[in-house]
Amino acid sequence: KLNIGVDTLQHGIEGLTYLLTESSKLMISEIDFQESIHVLGFSDELNKLLLQLYLDNRKEIRSILSELAPKLPSYHSLEWRLDVQLASRSLRQQIKPAVTMKLHLNENEDQTAQVLQTDPATLLHLIQQLEQALGEMKTNHCRRIVRNMK
Amino acid sequence: SNSCISDDPDLKDIDPAVLKHCHAAAAMCILEAGKQKADLAAISTCLEDCKLDKERIEQFCTEYQKNKDALEILLGSIGRSPLHITDVSWRLEYQIKSNQLHKTYQPSYLVTLNVENSDSGSHPDVSFSCTMEQLQDLVGKLKDAAKSLERATQM
């Protein structure tokens, strides 16, 4: 229907794909994009279309590309439950509080769930440590780095 | 423990089979008392029924009392349970780029939970990465659990 050869069409699509992915990957500015495609000698109308195509799809392309980076299992969610152990085979009449958790992680497109348990003292320790971790981004040191990186 | 029994001068004249029986009987008595959280009165009564004299009963009870807490801790730790979290470590990174994507500029946390197996003791740690929002979610949930725990202990 387009009246061009299969090869030409394929090359066209590959070229377009390459153009859009490279531009999105590098997050180049509008001006840089325009300058880059100017070299190709297309009409002004086509250049405008290509620019619009780039700007419209850039975010989505970047989020797809981010999936390709090496990754560790990542946090998905946490369920928790409060338990009190009252007795066991070795010891009766206990009152042993514990927090049982199910940690859901995303690992290479699979979701894994791991059951973990901890005692009240360790729970408070975990909270304290992780709150410290969260606070780090707000320190002057981190703020300075973030400012200077951009 | 075999050697310390046979080395003890008071014990070396006793028939080893008898010694073994005594040791087993004492151990069983102690473990059963510990398991049931028996008080000294109950233990005394039990030993009286076994025809032990008053002095021996007193000695036994004194020693038992000294070690009661340690015994209960030991007994309480026996048994199966899910992987137990003992500690956490974290790492904050600022991602700049990857070969797939440049200019990412995002903070990212790597959290490692140190866990212990009730059977074998050690176990590979559970590690995962998360964004700041995800870590906030995690901490929020842990705080809910802690608050719930506090309320439960006040009941």
Side-chain angles (χ1 to χ4, degrees):
Chain A
K1 271 170 223 166
L2 290 171
N3 257 343
I4 46 173
V6 171
D7 280 345
T8 316
L9 189 58
Q10 188 171 336
H11 288 169
I13 293 176
E14 283 170 4
L16 204 55
T17 310
Y18 183 76
L19 175 66
L20 290 174
T21 27
E22 277 304 294
S23 311
S24 302
K25 164 172 149 181
L26 299 166
M27 194 70 175
I28 59 176
S29 63
E30 276 188 45
I31 299 172
D32 286 339
F33 185 85
Q34 280 171 326
E35 277 178 22
S36 307
I37 59 176
H38 188 68
V39 190
L40 300 166
F42 295 144
S43 68
D44 273 343
E45 205 190 309
L46 188 53
N47 286 347
K48 247 191 252 165
L49 264 171
L50 287 172
L51 177 63
Q52 202 52 46
L53 200 57
Y54 167 58
L55 293 173
D56 288 342
N57 292 292
R58 161 161 81 170
K59 200 165 172 211
E60 197 183 334
I61 295 174
R62 281 178 70 80
S63 85
I64 295 171
L65 288 175
S66 72
E67 298 291 310
L68 297 172
K71 276 194 304 195
L72 295 146
S74 67
Y75 175 79
H76 183 259
S77 63
L78 182 84
E79 298 175 80
W80 59 268
R81 185 181 84 189
L82 222 48
D83 289 334
V84 179
Q85 182 167 307
L86 302 173
S88 69
R89 185 177 165 178
S90 345
L91 186 63
R92 310 292 146 82
Q93 298 178 43
Q94 298 179 41
I95 302 178
K96 201 170 168 191
V99 179
T100 306
M101 300 182 266
K102 204 167 183 185
L103 181 63
H104 295 273
L105 300 176
N106 289 324
E107 205 163 343
N108 294 328
E109 296 180 5
D110 298 320
Q111 245 200 50
T112 61
Q114 188 140 43
V115 177
L116 302 164
Q117 200 178 60
T118 193
D119 53 270
T122 310
L123 177 64
L124 294 177
H125 171 70
L126 295 181
I127 292 172
Q128 186 212 33
Q129 286 296 309
L130 294 177
E131 279 190 317
Q132 265 181 18
L134 280 173
E136 272 306 303
M137 274 311 287
K138 300 198 186 105
T139 60
N140 286 332
H141 174 77
C142 290
R143 281 206 168 121
R144 220 179 305 134
I145 292 185
V146 170
R147 259 202 309 268
N148 288 326
M149 291 279 199
K150 295 236 170 165
Chain B
S1 63
N2 275 339
S3 62
C4 76
I5 291 182
S6 53
D7 284 345
D8 191 319
D10 292 333
L11 299 174
K12 66 180 165 94
D13 292 330
I14 306 177
D15 175 9
V18 172
L19 212 49
K20 210 170 172 189
H21 276 208
C22 290
H23 183 259
M28 202 164 85
C29 183
I30 293 166
L31 288 176
E32 197 59 30
K35 174 161 79 174
Q36 302 294 343
K37 289 208 166 169
D39 57 22
L40 290 179
I43 299 175
S44 299
T45 316
C46 176
L47 294 176
E48 270 167 29
D49 291 344
C50 297
K51 312 268 198 313
L52 253 68
D53 60 59
K54 209 158 171 249
E55 198 193 312
R56 286 208 173 116
I57 294 177
E58 244 183 73
Q59 250 183 345
F60 186 92
C61 287
T62 314
E63 282 308 306
Y64 182 82
Q65 191 65 11
K66 261 198 266 171
N67 294 292
K68 188 164 105 98
D69 288 342
L71 179 65
E72 272 174 25
I73 292 172
L74 182 63
L75 289 173
S77 70
I78 299 172
R80 298 284 182 80
S81 70
L83 289 175
H84 192 98
I85 302 175
T86 53
D87 203 354
V88 65
S89 37
W90 55 267
R91 189 176 85 194
L92 171 60
E93 332 179 290
Y94 196 62
Q95 290 177 355
I96 311 172
K97 59 159 78 168
S98 69
N99 65 329
Q100 307 287 357
L101 196 59
H102 293 199
K103 300 191 188 162
T104 42
Y105 301 134
Q106 237 194 5
S108 161
Y109 286 95
L110 177 62
V111 177
T112 300
L113 297 170
N114 305 112
V115 291
E116 242 174 41
N117 205 325
S118 59
D119 297 328
S120 54
S122 74
H123 184 275
D125 297 328
V126 177
S127 287
F128 58 90
S129 68
C130 57
T131 64
M132 193 149 183
E133 291 74 29
Q134 287 168 335
L135 186 57
Q136 279 167 342
D137 180 68
L138 174 59
V139 174
K141 296 214 167 96
L142 292 177
K143 281 168 106 164
D144 286 341
K147 250 182 252 156
S148 206
L149 200 54
E150 213 189 298
R151 254 180 278 136
T153 56
Q154 283 165 1
M155 286 198 287

